[in-house]
Amino acid sequence: MSRFDPLLAARALWQIRVKKRPFVISHGVNARCNMRCSFCEYWKETGEDPGREEVFKLLENAKAFGIGVYNAWTTEPLLRKDLPEIMAHAKKLGMITSMVTNGKLLYKRAHELKDVDFLSVSVDGTKSYKEIRNMDFEDLMKGLKKAIEVRKQQNKENPILMNCVLSNKNLDDIEDLILLAKDLGTKISFEPVHEFPKIEDGTWDEFGIRDKEKFRKVVDRIIELKKQGYPIINSKTYLRMVRDGNMDYTCRASSVIINVTHDGTAETCRVQHEPLGNVMRDGFEKVWKESAGRREELVRNCEGCLFFGYAENSLMQGFKPEVLMCYEWM
């Protein structure tokens, strides 16, 4: 994870502002998960994994369209045996590569990730982790430490990112997680749990942020530790929005990041799941052009969200000085 990169920013601005196209593809590289987290809807959306050649063709088309960052995520990328070949192909095309994993297979496969520039691991608690993810925290740490060791051997410049979703379950663990990130030499990010409407209400009674005062105090502590130099990637501007539940920004997520599901469906974003077309079948150029009116309408009517990748990048595109200086993005 590195701070503001002027060259990368220039490439992104040319693609986003001049060519008016997204710079990042967030790709559901597979259709399966090895966890069944009650607050997540992605593992329920099953299907057939795309073939390797289909993914290669997708990457080549994305590169021709001007995409500069390939992010492999949802449901669990490490379930694909050929993931190293896919990441290598993206690198060969000149893309920056990133991956989001739940960490369950990290110990086994960390040595295969040499072509992953930015690695993000979901770490949602310490004492609360097993209750949240139904996996022993010690097993997660075993894989995370192995990945840290391997990436040092591979001379990777970017520290691993521990991503934590703030929920009712883990508010007592947050300061411990920040101290852990410092001890391990990783970075850490935070975002509040998003209450997806397809998940039953009982789950949100358990995981949703209900004690607002406690939540505010926890986020204030995150902000304080950020000021003290702890390895928190979020901007203070964003963290204050999270604390206050205030989505005071113009969403530019769909103009920065294009979501593509395992079957090639391009979506506006991970919140709305609005299908724009199929880029595996029709290509990015056609889907992007033909969906212009619908995308504008969706953004205009969107109530907003606090996913940090969307909010922080939108704030950056709005040239918020503190965000440009402080947000360390993948």
Side-chain angles (χ1 to χ4, degrees):
M1 190 69 58
S2 55
R3 289 194 178 274
F4 182 71
D5 183 334
L7 180 59
L8 184 61
R11 287 176 58 199
L13 283 172
W14 176 260
Q15 174 76 353
I16 297 164
R17 290 300 182 93
V18 179
K19 298 180 76 175
K20 299 190 182 305
R21 296 176 174 182
F23 190 62
V24 180
I25 175 175
S26 194
H27 181 217
V29 72
N30 73 326
R32 297 168 294 133
C33 193
N34 50 5
M35 285 188 173
R36 296 292 183 269
C37 302
S38 61
F39 56 87
C40 176
E41 62 181 7
Y42 295 108
W43 61 267
K44 300 176 182 179
E45 300 171 2
T46 58
E48 294 293 325
D49 288 354
R52 186 190 309 177
E53 292 305 318
E54 285 184 287
V55 179
F56 283 4
K57 184 178 178 181
L58 175 78
L59 289 170
E60 290 157 11
N61 185 243
K63 177 64 177 179
F65 186 64
I67 297 291
V69 178
Y70 175 68
N71 178 47
W73 78 303
T74 182
T75 36
E76 176 46 50
L78 287 176
L79 285 172
R80 281 198 73 122
K81 292 182 180 180
D82 60 358
L83 184 71
E85 289 84 355
I86 290 170
M87 304 309 284
H89 194 71
K91 286 289 289 183
K92 184 179 178 180
L93 292 170
M95 293 182 179
I96 295 167
T97 57
S98 68
M99 191 189 83
V100 181
T101 176
N102 61 33
K104 197 167 186 177
L105 294 175
L106 258 185
Y107 186 80
K108 181 179 179 181
R109 302 199 65 186
H111 64 285
E112 301 178 62
L113 305 180
K114 64 183 180 65
D115 289 307
V116 176
D117 296 319
F118 294 98
L119 178 61
S120 176
V121 183
S122 296
V123 185
D124 293 319
T126 52
K127 298 180 291 295
S128 62
Y129 180 80
K130 185 169 184 177
E131 185 179 1
I132 295 170
R133 293 281 184 174
N134 197 28
M135 174 181 168
D136 287 337
F137 184 68
E138 293 75 16
D139 291 340
L140 176 70
M141 285 298 100
K142 183 179 177 183
L144 181 58
K145 289 176 181 179
K146 175 72 172 292
I148 293 168
E149 177 187 344
V150 168
R151 287 177 73 82
K152 284 181 180 178
Q153 293 169 355
Q154 294 172 343
N155 296 316
K156 292 293 181 184
E157 295 180 0
N158 306 308
I160 289 173
L161 174 68
M162 292 165 43
N163 182 51
C164 174
V165 176
L166 297 167
S167 74
N168 183 59
K169 293 283 189 181
N170 63 9
L171 295 182
D172 292 327
D173 290 354
I174 300 309
E175 186 159 345
D176 287 344
L177 275 177
I178 295 171
L179 297 176
L180 177 65
K182 182 180 180 182
D183 289 344
L184 293 176
T186 69
K187 300 285 187 176
I188 190 165
S189 64
F190 296 97
E191 61 187 348
V193 66
H194 184 85
E195 297 190 17
F196 285 103
K198 291 182 181 180
I199 304 294
E200 53 269 19
D201 291 341
T203 298
W204 300 130
D205 291 339
E206 186 179 357
F207 282 90
I209 304 298
R210 300 295 182 259
D211 188 338
K212 303 294 185 182
E213 185 58 32
K214 182 176 182 179
F215 179 74
R216 285 181 60 88
K217 288 179 180 178
V218 168
V219 180
D220 274 335
R221 184 58 177 157
I222 296 172
I223 294 169
E224 180 59 34
L225 291 172
K226 167 84 175 179
K227 291 177 180 177
Q228 292 178 23
Y230 283 83
I232 300 161
I233 73 162
N234 305 102
S235 68
K236 295 187 288 292
T237 301
Y238 168 75
L239 290 170
R240 291 186 189 106
M241 288 199 321
V242 169
R243 178 194 64 195
D244 300 334
N246 177 20
M247 291 171 280
D248 184 21
Y249 69 95
T250 300
C251 182
R252 296 179 172 87
S254 66
S255 64
V256 177
I257 305 167
I258 185 166
N259 259 35
V260 178
T261 66
H262 66 274
D263 64 1
T265 301
E267 299 178 333
T268 45
C269 67
R270 61 189 287 195
V271 176
Q272 299 200 37
H273 285 306
E274 175 77 15
L276 304 175
N278 192 292
V279 293
M280 281 186 175
R281 182 185 64 237
D282 299 323
F284 284 88
E285 188 90 37
K286 181 179 179 181
V287 169
W288 193 251
K289 182 178 180 180
E290 293 183 353
S291 66
R294 183 59 178 148
R295 284 186 283 108
E296 289 177 7
E297 180 184 359
L298 287 165
V299 171
R300 186 168 58 249
N301 296 324
C302 183
E303 295 179 358
C305 74
L306 286 168
F307 283 112
F308 84 87
Y310 291 162
E312 296 271 26
N313 278 293
S314 293
L315 291 166
M316 285 184 71
Q317 290 301 313
F319 297 103
K320 299 292 184 181
E322 191 270 334
V323 182
L324 289 169
M325 291 176 62
C326 296
Y327 175 48
E328 304 174 48
W329 67 289
M330 297 183 71

